[in-house]
Amino acid sequence: MSEAQHRAGLVAIIGRPNVGKSTLVNAMVGYKVSIVSPKAQTTRHRILGIDTSAAGQIAFVDTPGLHGGGKRAINRYMNRAARGALADVALGVLVIEAGTWGEDDEAAFRVLAETGLPRVLVINKVDRVRDKETLLPFIAGVTQGRDFAAVFPLSAEKGVGLADFRRGLLQLLPESPALFGEDEITDRSERFLVAELIREQLLRQLGAELPYATTVTIDAFAEEGQLLRIAATIHVEREGQKAIVIGSGGSRIKAIGQGARIAIEQQFERKVFLELWCKVRAAWADDEAALRGFGYVS
Ligand code: GDP
Ligand code: MG
């Protein structure tokens, strides 16, 4: 397989409870990634699992805030975080149960539709459908007017339809080198975790002021004895946003850096020297640059 054909991307999984999201991801990846930190719930992406094959790499993510609700301030806040997180998600997967489309499914669909992401539909638990002839009309009904890029009837539990699902997702993902090194997941995850901890501080300290498409790159990550020496850049889109992040006399970015340093020190149980920069990036046009920017591609 040539490098040009390799595909990779983040895929958000959405659906009401109990439709089989966890079962599906576990069936796809065959193991649970161990990089999920206790803080993960508050971070931008919770990595549910990474499916690596010769053809490409699918990183399934849970996106905090993509869970309906929305009336209370905390929900608005989390939804804002979710929208920021969507900047580097390539695809949304809505999971439902064969034969059922209820209010909760409709709500999950609407949340996904609002993101504007290309979306696919997984109709799970087809093993429970006795009369398979009812499946086609069901699919026709739920897809009508909902504009899914693809539909995958499958059984996560029985492992039916998973290969087609993998092929189909990869077709919809951008050409890209792997986002996670197959043998380097731990190493990568440390940088990832650091970027997440910095993002968490950004969210905490800027709240609603956090510019929409902010990313954090880890430019240097070096162990010097008991010291972790880290250089990171916060990328924003406009000069005005940079001014917000930096704050008057650099007070904001200093506080963000201090908060992040303490969090990283706790996480790694190590002294940390953190150098934090803010830069304006021209455009988000280039997917690969965005992925590299997120610290996954060397
Ligand atoms: P989640 O809440 O969406 O993450 O759902 P889970 O993955 O926890 O699954 C909920 C329940 O559905 C569990 O009892 C699973 O065993 C069951 N389940 C998941 N996938 C399938 C499937 O393909 N067929 C059947 N019959 N049950 C399934
Ligand atoms: Mg689950």
Side-chain angles (χ1 to χ4, degrees):
M1 176 97 16
S2 78
E3 180 84 340
Q5 287 168 304
H6 190 278
R7 291 169 187 274
L10 303 189
V11 173
I13 299 267
I14 302 172
R16 70 171 164 81
N18 222 34
V19 288
K21 299 180 294 296
S22 301
T23 308
L24 176 61
V25 170
N26 289 339
M28 292 293 287
V29 306
Y31 67 97
K32 286 190 181 183
V33 283
S34 56
I35 65 170
V36 181
S37 78
K39 299 225 159 156
Q41 296 287 1
T42 61
T43 62
R44 179 150 113 132
H45 302 297
R46 194 159 71 95
I47 307 257
L48 301 172
I50 300 162
D51 175 38
T52 302
S53 60
Q57 193 173 59
I58 305 164
F60 294 100
V61 298
D62 185 24
T63 304
L66 269 193
H67 301 289
K71 287 220 177 71
R72 294 158 77 195
I74 182 69
N75 286 330
R76 283 200 301 276
Y77 175 80
M78 288 308 286
N79 279 326
R80 194 190 158 76
R83 283 200 300 277
L86 290 170
D88 35 44
V89 172
L91 201 61
V93 173
L94 175 68
V95 183
I96 65 168
E97 264 179 34
T100 307
W101 181 280
E103 254 173 55
D104 292 353
D105 299 303
E106 180 66 31
F109 170 75
R110 259 188 266 120
V111 170
L112 178 55
E114 272 170 28
T115 66
L117 286 175
R119 53 182 177 263
V120 306
L121 179 67
V122 161
I123 299 174
N124 190 26
K125 309 194 187 184
V126 294
D127 58 292
R128 291 218 300 219
V129 178
R130 279 210 210 108
D131 182 0
K132 301 288 185 227
E133 283 183 9
T134 62
L135 257 179
L136 277 181
F138 174 74
I139 292 172
V142 295
T143 55
Q144 184 163 24
R146 294 203 172 97
D147 201 22
F148 289 104
V151 182
F152 304 97
L154 54 83
S155 169
E157 198 160 84
K158 310 276 180 221
V160 176
L162 297 182
D164 284 343
F165 181 48
R166 178 177 294 114
R167 250 194 308 279
L169 286 185
L170 285 172
Q171 269 172 21
L172 292 166
L173 289 178
E175 281 184 21
S176 161
L179 308 183
F180 298 85
E182 221 172 329
D183 318 313
E184 293 175 89
I185 281 179
T186 312
D187 171 48
R188 298 276 169 169
S189 70
E190 285 178 350
R191 287 171 168 248
F192 176 76
L193 212 56
V194 167
E196 294 285 78
L197 291 169
I198 294 168
R199 267 198 67 78
E200 196 180 323
Q201 286 302 313
L202 275 166
L203 252 176
R204 255 190 215 167
Q205 305 204 22
L206 296 178
E209 279 185 90
L210 179 66
Y212 170 71
T214 308
T215 52
V216 175
T217 60
I218 305 303
D219 311 316
F221 186 97
E223 297 180 36
E224 296 175 3
Q226 278 303 93
L227 180 76
L228 264 184
R229 192 177 286 277
I230 299 166
T233 305
I234 299 161
H235 299 267
V236 294
E237 286 177 305
R238 282 185 290 281
E239 287 295 338
Q241 299 173 337
K242 182 175 169 182
I244 290 172
V245 170
I246 289 179
S248 96
S251 55
R252 220 70 168 284
I253 197 165
K254 195 174 164 198
I256 292 163
Q258 268 168 1
R261 180 180 52 76
I262 290 165
I264 297 164
E265 284 181 341
Q266 281 170 354
Q267 189 76 42
F268 290 88
E269 295 177 337
R270 201 93 61 100
K271 265 209 104 34
V272 168
F273 180 81
L274 174 63
E275 218 177 333
L276 203 52
W277 304 87
C278 183
K279 281 186 195 152
V280 178
R281 95 189 293 159
W284 271 80
D286 183 351
D287 272 354
E288 211 189 294
L291 294 171
R292 195 177 296 125
F294 206 39
Y296 292 141
V297 184
S298 47

